[in-house]
C-alpha cells in the first residue's frame, strides 16, 4: 500500500515537472515569435530580388575602303548599334588624322549618296561587318562662313564705288557732275539689305552645323561680289541717268522696297522661332502680324519678299545690271520656294 502511494506521488511529481517544462517552452516560443514578428515589421514590406538582365551588346566592325581604288584604308571596330556615322568619322579621323570629319564622305555603295551623320549603324548593317566607301570631299567651310562672306563683300564693294575712288572713275568728271538723290537712296537701300542679311545670319537664322566644299564659297562670292561691282559701277557712275518718271518713281519704289525688307525680316523671325508643334513646326501659320498673311498665298513668303525688294530696287535705279540680277534672283527664289512647298506636302 505504501509502495503504491509512493508511486502515485512520483507520477504526480513527474507530471508537474513536465507541465512546467511545457509552459516554459511555450513561453520561450511566444517570446521568439514576438521578437521575429517585431523584426519583420521593422524591416518593412518584403521586396522581390531585382532581376539581373544580361543584355548582349552587338558590336560592329566598319571596314572603310577607298571609293576609287577599293583598297582598305582602315577598320573601325567596337561600334555599337546606337553608334552613328558621325561616330565612325570621329574614329576614322583618329586613325587617319590627315582627314578631318567634315571632309570625310562615306557611302554604302560606290557612286551612291553620302550617308548623313545622324544615320545609325544598326539601320545600315546586314551583318557584324559593314563595308563603307570613303571619298575625300576636299577642303570644307562652315555655312556661317559662307553666308558672312557672301554678304560682307557686297556691302564693302558698293561703298568703294559710292565713294568714287580715283582708280575707278575719272576725278574731273566726278567733281564736275553732281549726284542725283537716287544715287544716295540706292546706296542706303543696298547697304540696308545686306546689313539685314548679316544681322539675321548672326542672330536670327539657325544655320546648320554642317559644312560645304570650299569651291561653293568661291562660286557664291564670285556671283554676289561680281554682280555688286557691276551694279555699283553703273549706279555711281558720273554719267548715271536718273529714272524716267523722276522722283515719283523713286519714292514709290523706295517705299515698296522698305515694305518688302520689313516683311522678309518678320518672316525669317517667324521661321526661326516657330510656336507650333508637330510635323508642320517649320511652316508657321499667319498670325496678328500683317506681313505673315502672305502664308495664305505661298509656302515661304520670305522668297516672295526677296523678289519684291529687288524688283523695287530695279525700278528705283532703272539700270540693266540690277534687272539681270533680279531675274537670276527670281529664278533662284522660285526654285527654293518649290522645294519648300514639297517639304511641306511631305509633312502633311
Amino acid at each position: 500500500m505504501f509502495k503504491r502511494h509512493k508511486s502515485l506521488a512520483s507520477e504526480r511529481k513527474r507530471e508537474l515537472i513536465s507541465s512546467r517544462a511545457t509552459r516554459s517552452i511555450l513561453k520561450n516560443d511566444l517570446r521568439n515569435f514576438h521578437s521575429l514578428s517585431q523584426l519583420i515589421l521593422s524591416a518593412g514590406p518584403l521586396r522581390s530580388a531585382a532581376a539581373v538582365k544580361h543584355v548582349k551588346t552587338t558590336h560592329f566592325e566598319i571596314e572603310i575602303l577607298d571609293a576609287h581604288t577599293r583598297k582598305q584604308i582602315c577598320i573601325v571596330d567596337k561600334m555599337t548599334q546606337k553608334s552613328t556615322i558621325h561616330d565612325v568619322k570621329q574614329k576614322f579621323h583618329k586613325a587617319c588624322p590627315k582627314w578631318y570629319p567634315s571632309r570625310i564622305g562615306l557611302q554604302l555603295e560606290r557612286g551612291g549618296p553620302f550617308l548623313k551623320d545622324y544615320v545609325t549603324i544598326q539601320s545600315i548593317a546586314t551583318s557584324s561587318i559593314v563595308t563603307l566607301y570613303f571619298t575625300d570631299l576636299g577642303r570644307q567651310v562652315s555655312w556661317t562662313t559662307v553666308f558672312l562672306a557672301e554678304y560682307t563683300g557686297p556691302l564693302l564693294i558698293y561703298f568703294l564705288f559710292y565713294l568714287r575712288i580715283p582708280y575707278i572713275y575719272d576725278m574731273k568728271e566726278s567733281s564736275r557732275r553732281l549726284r542725283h538723290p537716287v544715287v544716295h537712296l540706292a546706296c542706303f537701300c543696298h547697304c540696308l539689305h545686306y546689313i539685314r542679311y548679316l544681322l539675321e545670319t548672326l542672330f536670327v537664322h539657325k544655320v546648320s552645323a554642317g559644312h560645304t566644299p570650299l569651291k561653293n564659297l568661291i562660286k557664291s562670292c564670285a556671283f554676289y561680289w561680281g554682280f555688286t561691282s557691276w551694279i555699283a559701277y553703273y549706279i555711281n557712275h558720273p554719267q548715271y541717268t536718273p529714272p524716267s518718271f523722276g522722283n515719283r518713281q523713286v519714292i514709290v519704289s523706295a517705299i515698296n522696297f522698305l515694305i518688302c525688307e520689313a516683311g522678309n525680316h518678320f518672316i525669317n523671325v517667324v521661321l526661326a522661332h516657330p510656336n507650333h508643334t508637330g510635323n508642320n513646326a517649320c511652316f508657321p501659320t499667319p498670325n496678328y502680324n500683317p506681313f505673315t498673311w502672305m502664308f495664305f498665298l505661298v509656302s515661304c513668303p520670305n522668297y516672295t519678299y526677296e523678289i519684291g525688294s529687288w524688283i523695287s530696287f530695279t525700278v528705283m535705279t532703272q539700270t540693266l545690271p540690277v534687272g539681270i540680277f533680279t531675274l537670276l534672283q527670281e529664278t533662284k527664289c522660285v526654285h527654293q520656294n518649290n522645294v519648300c512647298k514639297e517639304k511641306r506636302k511631305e509633312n502633311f
Side-chain angles (χ1 to χ4, degrees):
M1 185 72 181
F2 178 74
K3 292 181 178 180
R4 186 178 180 182
H5 178 73
K6 191 176 181 180
S7 63
L8 290 173
S10 61
E11 288 180 2
R12 287 179 181 178
K13 190 176 181 180
R14 289 175 184 172
E15 289 178 0
L16 181 61
I17 293 172
S18 63
S19 63
R20 288 180 180 177
T22 304
R23 288 177 184 177
S24 63
I25 292 172
L26 290 174
K27 287 182 180 180
N28 291 332
D29 291 341
L30 289 173
R31 288 176 184 174
N32 293 335
F33 178 75
H34 180 72
S35 61
L36 180 62
S37 62
Q38 291 295 329
L39 179 62
I40 293 174
L41 290 175
S42 62
L46 295 176
R47 298 179 181 177
S48 59
V52 180
K53 296 182 179 180
H54 298 280
V55 180
K56 184 178 179 181
T57 303
T58 304
H59 289 89
F60 296 92
E61 287 188 358
I62 312 298
E63 182 186 20
I64 299 179
L65 307 179
D66 190 291
H68 300 288
T69 62
R70 293 188 178 182
K71 292 182 179 180
Q72 185 184 95
I73 300 177
C74 68
I75 293 179
V76 178
D77 57 356
K78 295 183 180 180
M79 303 301 296
T80 63
Q81 296 176 347
K82 295 183 179 180
S83 299
T84 61
I85 296 297
H86 177 73
D87 300 327
V88 176
K89 290 181 179 180
Q90 294 293 335
K91 288 195 173 185
F92 182 36
H93 172 60
K94 291 181 180 180
C96 304
K98 64 179 180 179
W99 291 305
Y100 50 89
S102 61
R103 68 183 295 171
I104 297 174
L106 297 177
Q107 305 162 293
L108 273 176
E109 299 177 354
R110 295 179 64 187
F114 292 107
L115 298 173
K116 303 293 184 181
D117 286 350
Y118 57 81
V119 175
T120 60
I121 301 300
Q122 185 180 9
S123 63
I124 62 174
T126 56
S127 64
S128 59
I129 300 177
V130 181
T131 302
L132 297 178
Y133 293 92
F134 162 74
T135 301
D136 185 6
L137 300 178
R139 293 184 177 273
Q140 303 286 303
V141 291
S142 65
W143 282 109
T144 302
T145 303
V146 173
F147 294 142
L148 292 178
E150 283 182 0
Y151 307 144
T152 304
L155 186 64
L156 299 177
I157 291 172
Y158 198 98
F159 264 121
L160 294 178
F161 284 91
Y162 177 75
L163 296 175
R164 288 184 176 178
I165 298 176
Y167 299 102
I168 301 176
Y169 303 112
D170 182 69
M171 286 299 298
K172 293 182 180 180
E173 191 175 10
S174 298
S175 59
R176 187 172 63 250
R177 291 177 177 271
L178 297 177
R179 304 190 192 197
H180 192 274
V182 70
V183 176
H184 305 291
L185 185 59
C187 180
F188 169 78
C189 292
H190 190 275
C191 293
L192 176 66
H193 180 76
Y194 284 100
I195 289 174
R196 178 184 64 81
Y197 265 159
L198 289 172
L199 293 177
E200 287 179 352
T201 301
L202 294 174
F203 304 108
V204 177
H205 292 302
K206 297 177 181 178
V207 183
S208 171
H211 295 76
T212 186
L214 181 62
K215 62 181 181 180
N216 290 342
L217 171 65
I218 297 174
K219 289 180 182 179
S220 298
C221 290
F223 175 77
Y224 283 100
W225 296 12
F227 263 103
T228 299
S229 301
W230 192 20
I231 290 170
Y233 177 81
Y234 272 85
I235 296 177
N236 296 285
H237 199 280
Q239 297 182 359
Y240 169 73
T241 304
S244 303
F245 297 96
N247 292 334
R248 181 182 299 179
Q249 178 179 345
V250 173
I251 293 173
V252 173
S253 301
I255 293 174
N256 191 61
F257 176 87
L258 295 177
I259 292 174
C260 290
E261 286 293 301
N264 200 338
H265 171 70
F266 285 117
I267 293 299
N268 286 331
V269 171
V270 171
L271 291 173
H273 304 283
N275 296 323
H276 301 270
T277 57
N279 293 333
N280 58 342
C282 295
F283 301 95
T285 56
N287 53 29
Y288 61 89
N289 189 338
F291 290 104
T292 62
W293 296 350
M294 191 67 73
F295 277 112
F296 287 119
L297 303 177
V298 293
S299 299
C300 296
N302 53 325
Y303 299 128
T304 305
Y305 286 120
E306 177 75 12
I307 296 172
S309 294
W310 283 109
I311 291 177
S312 302
F313 194 77
T314 302
V315 176
M316 180 176 64
T317 59
Q318 195 172 311
T319 53
L320 179 64
V322 182
I324 296 175
F325 181 76
T326 301
L327 182 62
L328 295 176
Q329 283 292 93
E330 182 177 359
T331 305
K332 176 183 175 182
C333 290
V334 169
H335 172 70
Q336 292 176 338
N337 186 70
N338 292 333
V339 173
C340 184
K341 187 186 297 183
E342 292 298 324
K343 290 183 178 180
R344 188 169 187 176
K345 288 180 180 179
E346 291 177 0
N347 290 333
F348 280 105

